[in-house]
Amino acid sequence: MTPHRNGMDPAKESILAGYSRDRHDLERWLKDADAADLRRRSDGTRWTNEELLFHMVFGYMVVRALLPMVHVISRLPVPAGQAFAALLNAGTRPFDFVNYWGSRGAAMIYNRQRMGRKLEKTITAITRRLHREDARSLARTMPFPDRWDPFFAPTMSLKDVYAYPARHFDFHARQLSFRQPLR
């Protein structure tokens, strides 16, 4: 990729723009929403708006945990990575259970007062890692548990993993059911 005028890889620039937008949107939603807005059931999920907001932040937290794993598994022989992805896909039902109930429970801890700071800290850490990646490392791929999330593909590059949380965040942002549209 050819760097932009500022010297940054356009793919990294696009990823970071998504992170910045999500950080800003979450901050605004948390500031503008009242307690009734946060308790309201979201549109198309079983979560409240506050639980869904945490789940959106959790997408970033998952990526922070995935990055070291992608660096390791992408260096293994492809069959080893495929076996690992198949094992994770076999655990989709327990994953779905933990994903749903974990977001419900965690929203009590990372509530409106804490989730903004958690997103900020997580994005800062991911951004630091992204700045250290070169084009070769961003192109590394590994098999993924594609049954875990609609944005997981059977094979994903490290660049895809960095881009994932903003895609996940945007998807779920459309499910928020605040009184007034906040986006």
Side-chain angles (χ1 to χ4, degrees):
M1 290 249 130
T2 344
H4 273 184
R5 286 186 305 258
N6 65 6
M8 185 180 292
D9 174 334
K12 286 183 181 182
E13 199 171 317
S14 174
I15 290 167
L16 293 173
Y19 293 0
S20 178
R21 183 190 61 246
D22 294 349
R23 181 187 296 137
H24 171 77
D25 285 350
L26 181 69
E27 181 181 311
R28 187 169 38 87
W29 290 328
L30 293 173
K31 182 177 131 301
D32 294 347
D34 63 21
D37 279 329
L38 294 172
R39 283 192 309 270
R40 186 173 289 109
R41 179 79 57 215
S42 62
D43 184 19
T45 79
R46 296 182 299 158
W47 287 309
T48 65
N49 284 324
E50 187 169 28
E51 292 163 349
L52 181 57
L53 285 170
F54 171 77
H55 178 75
M56 293 158 65
V57 171
F58 185 62
Y60 277 92
M61 294 165 63
V62 165
V63 165
R64 186 175 183 190
L66 283 175
L67 293 172
M69 183 179 74
V70 174
H71 274 280
V72 170
I73 293 176
S74 68
R75 287 174 168 77
L76 298 176
V78 172
Q82 289 170 331
F84 184 68
L87 178 67
L88 293 177
N89 268 336
T92 298
R93 289 187 77 144
F95 169 80
D96 288 344
F97 179 85
V98 169
N99 188 35
Y100 173 71
W101 287 103
S103 289
R104 287 201 68 186
M108 290 187 268
I109 297 165
Y110 292 109
N111 56 22
R112 78 177 305 161
Q113 284 82 29
R114 292 187 173 142
M115 75 174 75
R117 285 190 306 270
K118 184 62 175 177
L119 181 63
E120 178 68 33
K121 180 180 174 183
T122 305
I123 285 176
T124 298
I126 293 171
T127 298
R128 245 185 276 121
R129 286 192 74 127
L130 178 59
H131 283 302
R132 291 192 307 257
E133 305 286 1
D134 60 22
R136 195 167 128 214
S137 69
L138 288 173
R140 296 186 79 71
T141 62
M142 71 169 266
F144 249 74
D146 59 330
R147 291 177 45 206
W148 280 26
D149 190 278
F151 298 110
F152 284 176
T155 300
M156 292 179 68
S157 69
L158 189 58
K159 181 177 86 172
D160 296 332
V161 175
Y162 276 108
Y164 164 80
R167 292 180 69 205
H168 176 262
F169 193 99
D170 289 346
F171 172 80
H172 285 301
R174 293 187 296 274
Q175 296 175 315
L176 293 167
S177 63
F178 295 115
R179 278 177 291 112
Q180 307 273 339
L182 300 176
R183 196 167 209 192

